[in-house]
Amino acid sequence: MSLLLPTNLLQCRSSSLLLLSQSPSTTAFSAIAPRRICLRLVTSCVAYDQSSAVNGSAPKAVVVERDQIRLGLVSKGRMATNSLNLLKDCQLFVKQVNPRQYVAQIPQLPNTKVCFQRPKDIVTKLLSGDLDLGIVGLDKLREYGQENEDLIIVHEALNFGGYHLSIAIPNYGIFENIKSLKELAQMPQWSEERPLRVATGFTYLGPKFMKENGIKHVTFSTASGALEAAPAMGIADVVLDLVSSGTTLKENNLKEIEGGVVLQCKAVLVASRRALTKRKEALHTVQEILERLEAHLKADSQFTVVANFRGSSAEEVADRVLSQPSLSGWQGPTISPVYCRRGGKISVDYYAIVICVPKKTLYDSVKQLRAVGGSGVLVSPLTYIFDEDTPRWGQFLRNLGI
């Protein structure tokens, strides 16, 4: 029997490959056993190829010529919801025929296909060339991308997914008075025979962090979900996990320590450097997505404020407005005359000013407007702010080497 093996199977160094070349002792074996061995071998080889990125090297992807740009989005959970909402706010509507499908389209980007994946798979498929772009948490990017140079961040702050990766220790027993990473490392209990045991799902970032901080006697056990129970069960001494509000840690008698934060995390837009340098259409798509994101995210933190001022001229009103530190707007206030009819004649007694102010300083800005004669203050949200150019795009091109 002759078998046609896929390329990755032929390259596999598995010893079971030798079994295929051996002559079977019986006719029945030749009809059935080779097929079973081949199935096991294919599974082994595929797993080896896909795990190469996690083991420290990017998978060797074959460059496939295709027209469509592939954008990876997380398929489930809060990250998935927030990603879809952000794209919607940028007027990029992800259209699925039904919610169970793992592919979708964005009508505003007709050359782009959306692929819903697990966070880990988004990173590994960016490395393998199966995806061109992706939105994923920075923690997953660092854990599974392992600083690979082919992964380049397009936008590092998408305004959701705010959490951090941190070490948490029990607040009882031998750890009761431990308040910092330095104190944890200097505890006399840890030795080569009895190392510090860390339960975590971050088997790349964890050891890397400990090594960078000079903690030698440490071991890691891989786990996912309910890590907070590991110290109480005696499985581990401390945990390394994602923390948002910290409530779960407190409820399980755990605490964070000074110097124990491994990574501050937010959602990021990441791309394959190889895809962007070899395919112009991918670069053009990234530019449009980035400009939409920038315009929305910049506007999302601002209010438009309109107020009326009684004054003798636009210059006189501008002088009063600009005397206040929070009323300069982006490039200065826009001032227009307010026309009214008095005694049958058109006159100008008031001027309207329009400025943008940060949401966090809105009330201070309103008080400053009132202090210099402003009245009838109107406040409305901003949707987009498109600048003359996008500074982040220029910086991205420089990082890309273009």
Side-chain angles (χ1 to χ4, degrees):
M1 173 185 290
S2 62
L3 296 175
L4 181 61
L5 301 180
T7 304
N8 63 337
L9 184 59
L10 292 173
Q11 294 175 346
C12 182
R13 295 296 192 268
S14 173
S15 59
S16 60
L17 182 61
L18 298 175
L19 296 175
L20 283 172
S21 61
Q22 293 177 353
S23 299
S25 56
T26 65
T27 304
F29 179 84
S30 64
I32 300 175
R35 185 178 297 117
R36 291 179 179 173
I37 295 172
C38 183
L39 287 174
R40 287 199 299 268
L41 192 57
V42 170
T43 302
S44 172
C45 292
V46 170
Y48 172 81
D49 183 61
Q50 291 179 345
S51 66
S52 58
V54 180
N55 292 333
S57 61
K60 296 179 180 179
V62 177
V63 179
V64 179
E65 293 295 333
R66 50 182 165 83
D67 294 330
Q68 277 193 321
I69 309 303
R70 292 177 181 173
L71 168 65
L73 297 180
V74 176
S75 56
K76 296 179 181 178
R78 188 181 303 174
M79 180 71 71
T81 302
N82 289 337
S83 297
L84 292 174
N85 287 339
L86 175 61
L87 292 173
K88 182 180 178 181
D89 289 339
C90 297
Q91 299 298 303
L92 296 174
F93 301 96
V94 178
K95 300 294 184 181
Q96 290 175 277
V97 176
N98 67 69
R100 294 189 178 185
Q101 282 191 326
Y102 287 91
V103 294
Q105 304 293 330
I106 300 178
Q108 295 77 22
L109 300 173
N111 201 36
T112 301
K113 175 188 286 186
V114 174
C115 302
F116 293 98
Q117 300 284 305
R118 296 182 304 170
K120 174 183 175 180
D121 293 336
I122 290 177
V123 178
T124 56
K125 287 180 180 179
L126 281 167
L127 287 170
S128 68
D130 294 313
L131 291 175
D132 304 307
L133 304 167
I135 294 178
V136 72
L138 183 61
D139 55 304
K140 300 299 189 293
L141 177 63
R142 296 292 185 233
E143 173 69 16
Y144 301 116
Q146 302 183 9
E147 315 299 330
N148 191 290
E149 292 183 355
D150 190 54
L151 297 174
I152 182 168
I153 294 178
V154 182
H155 201 298
E156 75 284 356
L158 298 183
N159 282 7
F160 66 88
Y163 49 89
H164 57 276
L165 180 62
S166 180
I167 292 174
I169 68 174
N171 57 17
Y172 53 85
I174 62 173
F175 300 99
E176 185 175 2
N177 297 318
I178 301 300
K179 298 180 179 180
S180 69
L181 183 66
K182 183 178 180 181
E183 292 176 356
L184 177 65
Q186 292 176 345
M187 291 178 68
Q189 285 85 352
W190 319 133
S191 65
E192 188 173 347
E193 292 76 23
R194 173 59 173 91
L196 174 68
R197 299 171 301 161
V198 181
T200 185
F202 293 86
T203 55
Y204 171 75
L205 290 175
K208 180 175 181 288
F209 178 77
M210 292 297 190
K211 183 178 180 180
E212 291 173 349
N213 285 274
I215 302 177
K216 298 179 180 178
H217 303 305
V218 59
T219 59
F220 293 84
S221 58
T222 58
S224 60
L227 287 179
E228 294 81 5
M233 296 174 64
I235 299 172
D237 301 304
V238 302
V239 300
L240 174 62
D241 201 9
L242 298 175
V243 180
S244 181
S245 65
T247 302
T248 305
L249 294 182
K250 293 177 183 178
E251 291 176 347
N252 287 275
N253 293 317
L254 298 175
K255 63 183 179 182
E256 294 185 81
I257 54 177
E258 180 184 347
V261 175
V262 177
L263 186 67
Q264 294 287 348
C265 307
K266 279 189 176 182
V268 298
L269 175 63
V270 61
S272 162
R273 184 187 298 268
R274 181 173 57 246
L276 299 188
T277 54
K278 293 188 176 181
R279 300 169 62 200
K280 289 184 179 180
E281 59 273 17
L283 196 60
H284 294 157
T285 299
V286 170
Q287 182 178 10
E288 179 172 348
I289 293 175
L290 179 58
E291 290 203 350
R292 287 173 178 263
L293 286 172
E294 278 287 88
H296 167 67
L297 293 174
K298 194 170 187 178
D300 195 46
S301 63
Q302 303 284 323
F303 280 125
T304 299
V305 176
V306 181
N308 287 339
F309 279 79
R310 183 183 290 274
S312 58
S313 67
E315 289 77 10
E316 185 264 330
V317 171
D319 184 62
R320 278 189 281 155
V321 172
L322 292 174
S323 69
Q324 301 299 306
S326 298
L327 303 183
S328 59
W330 288 107
Q331 297 171 323
T334 300
I335 302 177
S336 306
V338 178
Y339 296 96
C340 62
R341 186 181 296 276
R342 293 185 184 279
K345 294 182 179 181
I346 300 297
S347 65
V348 176
D349 296 325
Y350 285 88
Y351 290 84
I353 71 139
V354 181
I355 58 173
C356 294
V357 300
K359 288 182 176 179
K360 60 184 179 181
T361 64
L362 173 63
Y363 189 63
D364 289 337
S365 299
V366 171
K367 289 193 294 183
Q368 290 176 22
L369 282 169
R370 289 171 173 169
V372 293
S375 63
V377 180
L378 305 178
V379 179
S380 57
L382 271 170
T383 306
Y384 306 103
I385 299 176
F386 285 97
D387 287 327
E388 184 177 353
D389 56 22
T390 305
R392 196 178 243 106
W393 175 246
Q395 183 60 52
F396 175 70
L397 290 180
R398 288 189 289 272
N399 294 340
L400 198 59
I402 297 178

